[in-house]
Amino acid sequence: MSSEAAAYGYLRELVFGLSHNVLDPSRDYLFDTRLARLLRNQGMNCLQDLVVHLRTRYDPALERAVAEAMTINETSFFRDTRPFELLRTTLLPRLIEARRLTRTLRFWSAACSTGQEAYSLAMLMLEHFPMLVNWDIRIDGTDISHEVVERAQAGRYHRIEVNRGLPARLLVRYFDHTGEDWVVKPAVRALCNFRQADLGGEYLPFRRASDRFDIILLRNVMLYFSQETRRRLLGGLHALLPQDGVLFLGTSEQPADPSLWTASLEGGACHYRPVRQGARE
Ligand SMILES: C[S@@+](CC[C@H](N)C(=O)[O-])C[C@H]1O[C@@H](n2cnc3c(N)ncnc32)[C@H](O)[C@@H]1O
């Protein structure tokens, strides 16, 4: 095996070990493009230099930087629009009626990237359900990448980012304008909590008996995972949703074990509810 092939193999394993992202050898060229800046910053000439460094020194920060550079962080406000429309018109009114005694709603934007999905949910709630002002509403956003979580926490977006998917009416109502950037207003920010967490490991970030979510969005991340990681992750999410809870996946994603989920297609958006033992038809 050439030293180049060995370097790619080492990097693929490193990324899998840290983020559970499976990188196909046919796309090894991505290491060259995505790690170019990191190599420059480290004063290294090529990937082999990086691999020699990682093999011979204990450098967890650099390992993490490699894994983070290889994740795809593509996202946008109200991405795919239809899940948000379905939430607004149908799913949230039903859930609000069902939770009228506890007055609590919990959302999880799992693999939230830079936070646009979580803030879209927050704006949806403020804009269309102002009568819930005294409810306990919480939107958790988690991502494996420290860098994107910090950006989500800051809630600061460039003009180009807010031009993707965010209606102008919501932009002026829920953001403050500073130079080229727009910053989410405190009322939107207050509904959202962001933290770093791995979805691919043995334990999910929410695992207390009291942890329950009404809506989970797990979109456009499972496609990077192995079948085994998908099965484990979806099994964990199943336990966090009550029978009337809802899971959204990305448009090209499906549950690893369909027998655990009931799929419904409404308003052009597919969503899933957990099947409970004894409740199977
Ligand atoms: C393509 S973005 C999707 C963002 C958002 N869910 C959406 O659909 O717009 C994928 C995100 O998954 C995150 N990710 C990748 N592997 C992960 C893991 N093992 N645990 C948690 N997040 C992960 C990446 O850092 C990235 O921000």
mmCIF file of all heavy atoms in Angstrom, residues 175-222:
data_model
loop_
_atom_site.group_PDB
_atom_site.id
_atom_site.type_symbol
_atom_site.label_atom_id
_atom_site.label_comp_id
_atom_site.label_asym_id
_atom_site.label_seq_id
_atom_site.Cartn_x
_atom_site.Cartn_y
_atom_site.Cartn_z
ATOM 1 N N PHE A 175 -34.563 39.629 14.285
ATOM 2 C CA PHE A 175 -33.101 39.811 14.256
ATOM 3 C C PHE A 175 -32.750 41.282 14.406
ATOM 4 O O PHE A 175 -33.507 42.158 13.970
ATOM 5 C CB PHE A 175 -32.517 39.316 12.918
ATOM 6 C CG PHE A 175 -32.504 37.821 12.766
ATOM 7 C CD1 PHE A 175 -33.684 37.130 12.491
ATOM 8 C CD2 PHE A 175 -31.328 37.102 12.897
ATOM 9 C CE1 PHE A 175 -33.676 35.743 12.348
ATOM 10 C CE2 PHE A 175 -31.316 35.720 12.749
ATOM 11 C CZ PHE A 175 -32.492 35.035 12.479
ATOM 12 N N ASP A 176 -31.590 41.545 14.987
ATOM 13 C CA ASP A 176 -31.029 42.895 15.004
ATOM 14 C C ASP A 176 -29.927 42.953 13.949
ATOM 15 O O ASP A 176 -29.131 42.010 13.820
ATOM 16 C CB ASP A 176 -30.425 43.211 16.386
ATOM 17 C CG ASP A 176 -31.510 43.338 17.443
ATOM 18 O OD1 ASP A 176 -32.535 43.988 17.156
ATOM 19 O OD2 ASP A 176 -31.333 42.783 18.548
ATOM 20 N N HIS A 177 -29.872 44.074 13.260
ATOM 21 C CA HIS A 177 -28.924 44.239 12.162
ATOM 22 C C HIS A 177 -27.653 44.904 12.678
ATOM 23 O O HIS A 177 -27.725 45.965 13.274
ATOM 24 C CB HIS A 177 -29.591 45.138 11.097
ATOM 25 C CG HIS A 177 -28.914 45.098 9.781
ATOM 26 N ND1 HIS A 177 -29.246 45.917 8.746
ATOM 27 C CD2 HIS A 177 -27.909 44.323 9.326
ATOM 28 C CE1 HIS A 177 -28.491 45.652 7.713
ATOM 29 N NE2 HIS A 177 -27.670 44.691 8.034
ATOM 30 N N THR A 178 -26.510 44.254 12.492
ATOM 31 C CA THR A 178 -25.247 44.915 12.855
ATOM 32 C C THR A 178 -24.260 44.714 11.714
ATOM 33 O O THR A 178 -23.756 43.610 11.522
ATOM 34 C CB THR A 178 -24.626 44.358 14.165
ATOM 35 O OG1 THR A 178 -24.337 42.990 13.962
ATOM 36 C CG2 THR A 178 -25.529 44.501 15.361
ATOM 37 N N GLY A 179 -24.010 45.768 10.956
ATOM 38 C CA GLY A 179 -23.092 45.689 9.812
ATOM 39 C C GLY A 179 -23.597 44.696 8.786
ATOM 40 O O GLY A 179 -24.747 44.765 8.353
ATOM 41 N N GLU A 180 -22.738 43.721 8.423
ATOM 42 C CA GLU A 180 -23.117 42.694 7.435
ATOM 43 C C GLU A 180 -23.878 41.551 8.093
ATOM 44 O O GLU A 180 -24.317 40.631 7.417
ATOM 45 C CB GLU A 180 -21.833 42.119 6.806
ATOM 46 C CG GLU A 180 -21.169 43.017 5.796
ATOM 47 C CD GLU A 180 -21.728 42.803 4.401
ATOM 48 O OE1 GLU A 180 -22.931 43.028 4.185
ATOM 49 O OE2 GLU A 180 -20.950 42.398 3.530
ATOM 50 N N ASP A 181 -23.979 41.581 9.423
ATOM 51 C CA ASP A 181 -24.553 40.442 10.147
ATOM 52 C C ASP A 181 -25.920 40.759 10.746
ATOM 53 O O ASP A 181 -26.273 41.919 10.957
ATOM 54 C CB ASP A 181 -23.616 40.043 11.302
ATOM 55 C CG ASP A 181 -22.319 39.427 10.803
ATOM 56 O OD1 ASP A 181 -22.252 39.074 9.611
ATOM 57 O OD2 ASP A 181 -21.386 39.315 11.612
ATOM 58 N N TRP A 182 -26.612 39.670 11.065
ATOM 59 C CA TRP A 182 -27.899 39.764 11.747
ATOM 60 C C TRP A 182 -27.815 38.854 12.974
ATOM 61 O O TRP A 182 -27.362 37.721 12.882
ATOM 62 C CB TRP A 182 -29.021 39.305 10.824
ATOM 63 C CG TRP A 182 -29.233 40.208 9.641
ATOM 64 C CD1 TRP A 182 -28.492 40.231 8.491
ATOM 65 C CD2 TRP A 182 -30.223 41.225 9.504
ATOM 66 N NE1 TRP A 182 -28.969 41.197 7.638
ATOM 67 C CE2 TRP A 182 -30.042 41.819 8.239
ATOM 68 C CE3 TRP A 182 -31.256 41.686 10.320
ATOM 69 C CZ2 TRP A 182 -30.860 42.847 7.767
ATOM 70 C CZ3 TRP A 182 -32.074 42.702 9.849
ATOM 71 C CH2 TRP A 182 -31.869 43.283 8.592
ATOM 72 N N VAL A 183 -28.289 39.382 14.114
ATOM 73 C CA VAL A 183 -28.182 38.631 15.374
ATOM 74 C C VAL A 183 -29.583 38.351 15.905
ATOM 75 O O VAL A 183 -30.423 39.266 15.961
ATOM 76 C CB VAL A 183 -27.390 39.457 16.419
ATOM 77 C CG1 VAL A 183 -27.258 38.681 17.727
ATOM 78 C CG2 VAL A 183 -26.019 39.828 15.877
ATOM 79 N N VAL A 184 -29.847 37.101 16.304
ATOM 80 C CA VAL A 184 -31.201 36.760 16.791
ATOM 81 C C VAL A 184 -31.513 37.565 18.050
ATOM 82 O O VAL A 184 -30.645 37.775 18.898
ATOM 83 C CB VAL A 184 -31.377 35.249 17.103
ATOM 84 C CG1 VAL A 184 -31.489 34.423 15.856
ATOM 85 C CG2 VAL A 184 -30.292 34.725 17.992
ATOM 86 N N LYS A 185 -32.761 37.977 18.144
ATOM 87 C CA LYS A 185 -33.174 38.774 19.301
ATOM 88 C C LYS A 185 -33.270 37.883 20.544
ATOM 89 O O LYS A 185 -33.486 36.670 20.430
ATOM 90 C CB LYS A 185 -34.524 39.423 19.021
ATOM 91 C CG LYS A 185 -34.412 40.538 17.986
ATOM 92 C CD LYS A 185 -35.599 41.458 18.015
ATOM 93 C CE LYS A 185 -35.212 42.719 17.243
ATOM 94 N NZ LYS A 185 -36.324 43.429 16.695
ATOM 95 N N PRO A 186 -33.145 38.494 21.726
ATOM 96 C CA PRO A 186 -33.159 37.711 22.965
ATOM 97 C C PRO A 186 -34.396 36.814 23.124
ATOM 98 O O PRO A 186 -34.291 35.708 23.644
ATOM 99 C CB PRO A 186 -33.108 38.780 24.062
ATOM 100 C CG PRO A 186 -32.407 39.945 23.412
ATOM 101 C CD PRO A 186 -32.824 39.916 21.964
ATOM 102 N N ALA A 187 -35.562 37.250 22.641
ATOM 103 C CA ALA A 187 -36.771 36.432 22.811
ATOM 104 C C ALA A 187 -36.658 35.106 22.054
ATOM 105 O O ALA A 187 -37.179 34.075 22.492
ATOM 106 C CB ALA A 187 -37.990 37.200 22.316
ATOM 107 N N VAL A 188 -35.969 35.131 20.923
ATOM 108 C CA VAL A 188 -35.766 33.904 20.130
ATOM 109 C C VAL A 188 -34.680 33.061 20.790
ATOM 110 O O VAL A 188 -34.820 31.851 20.994
ATOM 111 C CB VAL A 188 -35.332 34.256 18.684
ATOM 112 C CG1 VAL A 188 -35.185 33.006 17.840
ATOM 113 C CG2 VAL A 188 -36.315 35.231 18.062
ATOM 114 N N ARG A 189 -33.632 33.747 21.162
ATOM 115 C CA ARG A 189 -32.478 33.086 21.785
ATOM 116 C C ARG A 189 -32.885 32.361 23.065
ATOM 117 O O ARG A 189 -32.403 31.264 23.355
ATOM 118 C CB ARG A 189 -31.426 34.182 22.073
ATOM 119 C CG ARG A 189 -30.134 33.743 22.657
ATOM 120 C CD ARG A 189 -29.297 33.016 21.614
ATOM 121 N NE ARG A 189 -28.189 32.311 22.238
ATOM 122 C CZ ARG A 189 -28.309 31.171 22.882
ATOM 123 N NH1 ARG A 189 -29.464 30.568 23.008
ATOM 124 N NH2 ARG A 189 -27.248 30.589 23.404
ATOM 125 N N ALA A 190 -33.819 32.993 23.821
ATOM 126 C CA ALA A 190 -34.195 32.458 25.138
ATOM 127 C C ALA A 190 -34.852 31.082 25.039
ATOM 128 O O ALA A 190 -34.824 30.313 26.006
ATOM 129 C CB ALA A 190 -35.138 33.438 25.832
ATOM 130 N N LEU A 191 -35.419 30.753 23.899
ATOM 131 C CA LEU A 191 -36.096 29.451 23.773
ATOM 132 C C LEU A 191 -35.107 28.320 23.467
ATOM 133 O O LEU A 191 -35.458 27.153 23.557
ATOM 134 C CB LEU A 191 -37.136 29.501 22.653
ATOM 135 C CG LEU A 191 -38.323 30.442 22.856
ATOM 136 C CD1 LEU A 191 -39.239 30.399 21.644
ATOM 137 C CD2 LEU A 191 -39.102 30.048 24.104
ATOM 138 N N CYS A 192 -33.884 28.691 23.067
ATOM 139 C CA CYS A 192 -32.943 27.687 22.526
ATOM 140 C C CYS A 192 -31.736 27.464 23.443
ATOM 141 O O CYS A 192 -31.198 28.413 24.011
ATOM 142 C CB CYS A 192 -32.443 28.128 21.154
ATOM 143 S SG CYS A 192 -33.758 28.374 19.948
ATOM 144 N N ASN A 193 -31.350 26.216 23.553
ATOM 145 C CA ASN A 193 -30.123 25.845 24.287
ATOM 146 C C ASN A 193 -29.276 25.009 23.355
ATOM 147 O O ASN A 193 -29.794 24.066 22.759
ATOM 148 C CB ASN A 193 -30.456 24.943 25.480
ATOM 149 C CG ASN A 193 -31.346 25.645 26.437
ATOM 150 O OD1 ASN A 193 -30.892 26.400 27.273
ATOM 151 N ND2 ASN A 193 -32.647 25.417 26.300
ATOM 152 N N PHE A 194 -28.000 25.336 23.280
ATOM 153 C CA PHE A 194 -27.125 24.571 22.383
ATOM 154 C C PHE A 194 -25.997 23.948 23.174
ATOM 155 O O PHE A 194 -25.449 24.579 24.091
ATOM 156 C CB PHE A 194 -26.529 25.492 21.307
ATOM 157 C CG PHE A 194 -27.560 26.064 20.384
ATOM 158 C CD1 PHE A 194 -28.033 27.355 20.556
ATOM 159 C CD2 PHE A 194 -28.078 25.300 19.350
ATOM 160 C CE1 PHE A 194 -28.992 27.884 19.709
ATOM 161 C CE2 PHE A 194 -29.040 25.821 18.486
ATOM 162 C CZ PHE A 194 -29.492 27.119 18.676
ATOM 163 N N ARG A 195 -25.650 22.744 22.803
ATOM 164 C CA ARG A 195 -24.444 22.149 23.386
ATOM 165 C C ARG A 195 -23.862 21.093 22.462
ATOM 166 O O ARG A 195 -24.555 20.554 21.605
ATOM 167 C CB ARG A 195 -24.702 21.609 24.778
ATOM 168 C CG ARG A 195 -25.600 20.414 24.859
ATOM 169 C CD ARG A 195 -25.657 20.023 26.327
ATOM 170 N NE ARG A 195 -26.795 19.228 26.638
ATOM 171 C CZ ARG A 195 -26.707 17.946 26.992
ATOM 172 N NH1 ARG A 195 -25.539 17.348 27.027
ATOM 173 N NH2 ARG A 195 -27.789 17.272 27.300
ATOM 174 N N GLN A 196 -22.588 20.827 22.721
ATOM 175 C CA GLN A 196 -21.878 19.848 21.914
ATOM 176 C C GLN A 196 -22.279 18.455 22.378
ATOM 177 O O GLN A 196 -22.354 18.210 23.588
ATOM 178 C CB GLN A 196 -20.368 20.064 22.096
ATOM 179 C CG GLN A 196 -19.482 19.270 21.173
ATOM 180 C CD GLN A 196 -19.190 17.866 21.699
ATOM 181 O OE1 GLN A 196 -19.306 17.603 22.899
ATOM 182 N NE2 GLN A 196 -18.820 16.972 20.811
ATOM 183 N N ALA A 197 -22.577 17.562 21.457
ATOM 184 C CA ALA A 197 -22.894 16.174 21.826
ATOM 185 C C ALA A 197 -22.772 15.279 20.605
ATOM 186 O O ALA A 197 -23.115 15.686 19.491
ATOM 187 C CB ALA A 197 -24.308 16.090 22.388
ATOM 188 N N ASP A 198 -22.318 14.057 20.848
ATOM 189 C CA ASP A 198 -22.162 13.060 19.789
ATOM 190 C C ASP A 198 -23.434 12.214 19.715
ATOM 191 O O ASP A 198 -23.914 11.719 20.742
ATOM 192 C CB ASP A 198 -20.951 12.173 20.147
ATOM 193 C CG ASP A 198 -20.645 11.153 19.080
ATOM 194 O OD1 ASP A 198 -21.279 11.179 18.009
ATOM 195 O OD2 ASP A 198 -19.746 10.318 19.330
ATOM 196 N N LEU A 199 -23.967 12.038 18.528
ATOM 197 C CA LEU A 199 -25.157 11.193 18.352
ATOM 198 C C LEU A 199 -24.783 9.748 18.043
ATOM 199 O O LEU A 199 -25.646 8.885 18.008
ATOM 200 C CB LEU A 199 -26.006 11.707 17.187
ATOM 201 C CG LEU A 199 -26.663 13.066 17.337
ATOM 202 C CD1 LEU A 199 -27.302 13.474 16.018
ATOM 203 C CD2 LEU A 199 -27.703 13.037 18.441
ATOM 204 N N GLY A 200 -23.497 9.524 17.786
ATOM 205 C CA GLY A 200 -23.109 8.202 17.308
ATOM 206 C C GLY A 200 -22.625 7.270 18.404
ATOM 207 O O GLY A 200 -22.433 6.088 18.169
ATOM 208 N N GLY A 201 -22.439 7.791 19.598
ATOM 209 C CA GLY A 201 -21.876 6.978 20.673
ATOM 210 C C GLY A 201 -22.911 6.067 21.317
ATOM 211 O O GLY A 201 -24.067 6.006 20.894
ATOM 212 N N GLU A 202 -22.461 5.397 22.371
ATOM 213 C CA GLU A 202 -23.347 4.425 23.021
ATOM 214 C C GLU A 202 -24.499 5.123 23.740
ATOM 215 O O GLU A 202 -25.608 4.617 23.820
ATOM 216 C CB GLU A 202 -22.519 3.620 24.030
ATOM 217 C CG GLU A 202 -23.121 2.300 24.360
ATOM 218 C CD GLU A 202 -22.177 1.501 25.229
ATOM 219 O OE1 GLU A 202 -20.935 1.608 25.061
ATOM 220 O OE2 GLU A 202 -22.692 0.783 26.096
ATOM 221 N N TYR A 203 -24.207 6.339 24.276
ATOM 222 C CA TYR A 203 -25.237 7.039 25.053
ATOM 223 C C TYR A 203 -25.633 8.334 24.368
ATOM 224 O O TYR A 203 -24.778 9.074 23.891
ATOM 225 C CB TYR A 203 -24.722 7.363 26.456
ATOM 226 C CG TYR A 203 -24.349 6.136 27.223
ATOM 227 C CD1 TYR A 203 -23.009 5.816 27.448
ATOM 228 C CD2 TYR A 203 -25.337 5.276 27.694
ATOM 229 C CE1 TYR A 203 -22.665 4.666 28.130
ATOM 230 C CE2 TYR A 203 -25.010 4.123 28.377
ATOM 231 C CZ TYR A 203 -23.663 3.824 28.592
ATOM 232 O OH TYR A 203 -23.327 2.677 29.258
ATOM 233 N N LEU A 204 -26.912 8.607 24.362
ATOM 234 C CA LEU A 204 -27.390 9.871 23.815
ATOM 235 C C LEU A 204 -27.200 10.968 24.856
ATOM 236 O O LEU A 204 -27.122 10.693 26.048
ATOM 237 C CB LEU A 204 -28.873 9.748 23.462
ATOM 238 C CG LEU A 204 -29.176 8.930 22.218
ATOM 239 C CD1 LEU A 204 -30.664 8.860 21.972
ATOM 240 C CD2 LEU A 204 -28.454 9.514 21.014
ATOM 241 N N PRO A 205 -27.164 12.230 24.414
ATOM 242 C CA PRO A 205 -26.971 13.318 25.378
ATOM 243 C C PRO A 205 -28.145 13.482 26.341
ATOM 244 O O PRO A 205 -27.999 14.101 27.383
ATOM 245 C CB PRO A 205 -26.813 14.558 24.497
ATOM 246 C CG PRO A 205 -27.286 14.181 23.145
ATOM 247 C CD PRO A 205 -27.124 12.712 23.021
ATOM 248 N N PHE A 206 -29.313 12.954 25.998
ATOM 249 C CA PHE A 206 -30.463 13.032 26.910
ATOM 250 C C PHE A 206 -30.809 11.607 27.300
ATOM 251 O O PHE A 206 -31.240 10.829 26.456
ATOM 252 C CB PHE A 206 -31.654 13.697 26.217
ATOM 253 C CG PHE A 206 -31.323 15.075 25.718
ATOM 254 C CD1 PHE A 206 -30.997 15.282 24.387
ATOM 255 C CD2 PHE A 206 -31.314 16.154 26.582
ATOM 256 C CE1 PHE A 206 -30.672 16.550 23.922
ATOM 257 C CE2 PHE A 206 -30.992 17.424 26.125
ATOM 258 C CZ PHE A 206 -30.663 17.619 24.795
ATOM 259 N N ARG A 207 -30.626 11.286 28.571
ATOM 260 C CA ARG A 207 -30.924 9.910 28.948
ATOM 261 C C ARG A 207 -31.480 9.783 30.359
ATOM 262 O O ARG A 207 -31.542 8.689 30.903
ATOM 263 C CB ARG A 207 -29.703 9.016 28.777
ATOM 264 C CG ARG A 207 -28.459 9.493 29.473
ATOM 265 C CD ARG A 207 -27.335 8.483 29.307
ATOM 266 N NE ARG A 207 -26.136 8.895 29.997
ATOM 267 C CZ ARG A 207 -25.221 9.698 29.474
ATOM 268 N NH1 ARG A 207 -25.376 10.168 28.256
ATOM 269 N NH2 ARG A 207 -24.156 10.045 30.181
ATOM 270 N N ARG A 208 -31.870 10.936 30.965
ATOM 271 C CA ARG A 208 -32.524 10.823 32.278
ATOM 272 C C ARG A 208 -33.944 10.319 32.051
ATOM 273 O O ARG A 208 -34.529 10.554 30.989
ATOM 274 C CB ARG A 208 -32.574 12.180 32.971
ATOM 275 C CG ARG A 208 -31.229 12.613 33.532
ATOM 276 C CD ARG A 208 -31.353 13.977 34.086
ATOM 277 N NE ARG A 208 -32.041 14.831 33.102
ATOM 278 C CZ ARG A 208 -32.208 16.130 33.223
ATOM 279 N NH1 ARG A 208 -31.760 16.754 34.283
ATOM 280 N NH2 ARG A 208 -32.834 16.841 32.305
ATOM 281 N N ALA A 209 -34.478 9.661 33.077
ATOM 282 C CA ALA A 209 -35.835 9.108 32.925
ATOM 283 C C ALA A 209 -36.809 10.223 32.574
ATOM 284 O O ALA A 209 -37.799 10.000 31.877
ATOM 285 C CB ALA A 209 -36.242 8.422 34.224
ATOM 286 N N SER A 210 -36.520 11.450 33.028
ATOM 287 C CA SER A 210 -37.460 12.555 32.783
ATOM 288 C C SER A 210 -37.282 13.184 31.395
ATOM 289 O O SER A 210 -38.063 14.035 31.003
ATOM 290 C CB SER A 210 -37.263 13.632 33.854
ATOM 291 O OG SER A 210 -35.917 14.074 33.812
ATOM 292 N N ASP A 211 -36.244 12.783 30.665
ATOM 293 C CA ASP A 211 -36.027 13.375 29.342
ATOM 294 C C ASP A 211 -37.048 12.841 28.347
ATOM 295 O O ASP A 211 -37.099 11.642 28.067
ATOM 296 C CB ASP A 211 -34.605 13.066 28.835
ATOM 297 C CG ASP A 211 -33.576 13.982 29.457
ATOM 298 O OD1 ASP A 211 -33.922 15.133 29.771
ATOM 299 O OD2 ASP A 211 -32.428 13.531 29.640
ATOM 300 N N ARG A 212 -37.860 13.728 27.829
ATOM 301 C CA ARG A 212 -38.872 13.391 26.838
ATOM 302 C C ARG A 212 -38.959 14.535 25.852
ATOM 303 O O ARG A 212 -38.883 15.695 26.242
ATOM 304 C CB ARG A 212 -40.256 13.277 27.507
ATOM 305 C CG ARG A 212 -40.521 11.978 28.196
ATOM 306 C CD ARG A 212 -40.968 10.920 27.170
ATOM 307 N NE ARG A 212 -41.192 9.623 27.785
ATOM 308 C CZ ARG A 212 -40.215 8.787 28.116
ATOM 309 N NH1 ARG A 212 -38.968 9.117 27.912
ATOM 310 N NH2 ARG A 212 -40.487 7.624 28.660
ATOM 311 N N PHE A 213 -39.113 14.218 24.583
ATOM 312 C CA PHE A 213 -39.274 15.267 23.581
ATOM 313 C C PHE A 213 -40.595 15.073 22.862
ATOM 314 O O PHE A 213 -41.031 13.948 22.638
ATOM 315 C CB PHE A 213 -38.123 15.229 22.570
ATOM 316 C CG PHE A 213 -36.826 15.701 23.176
ATOM 317 C CD1 PHE A 213 -35.949 14.797 23.754
ATOM 318 C CD2 PHE A 213 -36.515 17.050 23.200
ATOM 319 C CE1 PHE A 213 -34.777 15.241 24.351
ATOM 320 C CE2 PHE A 213 -35.346 17.495 23.784
ATOM 321 C CZ PHE A 213 -34.480 16.592 24.367
ATOM 322 N N ASP A 214 -41.218 16.177 22.500
ATOM 323 C CA ASP A 214 -42.448 16.101 21.717
ATOM 324 C C ASP A 214 -42.120 16.028 20.229
ATOM 325 O O ASP A 214 -42.798 15.345 19.474
ATOM 326 C CB ASP A 214 -43.323 17.320 22.017
ATOM 327 C CG ASP A 214 -43.662 17.369 23.492
ATOM 328 O OD1 ASP A 214 -44.333 16.434 23.955
ATOM 329 O OD2 ASP A 214 -43.204 18.298 24.197
ATOM 330 N N ILE A 215 -41.075 16.765 19.837
ATOM 331 C CA ILE A 215 -40.667 16.799 18.424
ATOM 332 C C ILE A 215 -39.151 16.655 18.351
ATOM 333 O O ILE A 215 -38.439 17.401 19.026
ATOM 334 C CB ILE A 215 -40.995 18.167 17.784
ATOM 335 C CG1 ILE A 215 -42.415 18.607 18.073
ATOM 336 C CG2 ILE A 215 -40.638 18.191 16.301
ATOM 337 C CD1 ILE A 215 -43.432 18.206 17.082
ATOM 338 N N ILE A 216 -38.692 15.720 17.539
ATOM 339 C CA ILE A 216 -37.245 15.614 17.297
ATOM 340 C C ILE A 216 -36.992 15.785 15.791
ATOM 341 O O ILE A 216 -37.647 15.136 14.970
ATOM 342 C CB ILE A 216 -36.681 14.259 17.769
ATOM 343 C CG1 ILE A 216 -36.881 14.088 19.285
ATOM 344 C CG2 ILE A 216 -35.193 14.143 17.423
ATOM 345 C CD1 ILE A 216 -36.392 12.754 19.847
ATOM 346 N N LEU A 217 -36.065 16.650 15.459
ATOM 347 C CA LEU A 217 -35.628 16.787 14.069
ATOM 348 C C LEU A 217 -34.214 16.212 13.971
ATOM 349 O O LEU A 217 -33.288 16.711 14.629
ATOM 350 C CB LEU A 217 -35.629 18.256 13.619
ATOM 351 C CG LEU A 217 -37.012 18.854 13.366
ATOM 352 C CD1 LEU A 217 -37.645 19.337 14.657
ATOM 353 C CD2 LEU A 217 -36.934 19.996 12.381
ATOM 354 N N LEU A 218 -34.111 15.144 13.223
ATOM 355 C CA LEU A 218 -32.813 14.488 13.005
ATOM 356 C C LEU A 218 -32.617 14.453 11.501
ATOM 357 O O LEU A 218 -32.901 13.460 10.843
ATOM 358 C CB LEU A 218 -32.854 13.060 13.581
ATOM 359 C CG LEU A 218 -31.628 12.203 13.305
ATOM 360 C CD1 LEU A 218 -30.458 12.626 14.182
ATOM 361 C CD2 LEU A 218 -31.939 10.730 13.561
ATOM 362 N N ARG A 219 -32.192 15.565 10.954
ATOM 363 C CA ARG A 219 -32.243 15.684 9.500
ATOM 364 C C ARG A 219 -30.848 15.835 8.902
ATOM 365 O O ARG A 219 -30.016 16.593 9.394
ATOM 366 C CB ARG A 219 -33.116 16.880 9.116
ATOM 367 C CG ARG A 219 -34.534 16.752 9.688
ATOM 368 C CD ARG A 219 -35.492 17.753 9.087
ATOM 369 N NE ARG A 219 -35.041 19.116 9.206
ATOM 370 C CZ ARG A 219 -35.424 20.093 8.394
ATOM 371 N NH1 ARG A 219 -36.247 19.836 7.407
ATOM 372 N NH2 ARG A 219 -34.976 21.318 8.572
ATOM 373 N N ASN A 220 -30.625 15.080 7.856
ATOM 374 C CA ASN A 220 -29.406 15.231 7.051
ATOM 375 C C ASN A 220 -28.133 14.950 7.827
ATOM 376 O O ASN A 220 -27.124 15.621 7.649
ATOM 377 C CB ASN A 220 -29.383 16.633 6.417
ATOM 378 C CG ASN A 220 -30.671 16.913 5.672
ATOM 379 O OD1 ASN A 220 -31.040 16.154 4.783
ATOM 380 N ND2 ASN A 220 -31.377 17.948 6.068
ATOM 381 N N VAL A 221 -28.194 13.977 8.715
ATOM 382 C CA VAL A 221 -26.972 13.537 9.400
ATOM 383 C C VAL A 221 -26.836 12.019 9.348
ATOM 384 O O VAL A 221 -25.727 11.512 9.223
ATOM 385 C CB VAL A 221 -26.918 14.050 10.861
ATOM 386 C CG1 VAL A 221 -28.031 13.489 11.718
ATOM 387 C CG2 VAL A 221 -25.563 13.740 11.484
ATOM 388 N N MET A 222 -27.977 11.280 9.374
ATOM 389 C CA MET A 222 -27.873 9.823 9.398
ATOM 390 C C MET A 222 -27.202 9.272 8.158
ATOM 391 O O MET A 222 -26.630 8.191 8.187
ATOM 392 C CB MET A 222 -29.255 9.217 9.522
ATOM 393 C CG MET A 222 -29.707 9.102 10.953
ATOM 394 S SD MET A 222 -30.837 7.767 11.151
ATOM 395 C CE MET A 222 -32.018 8.073 9.877
#
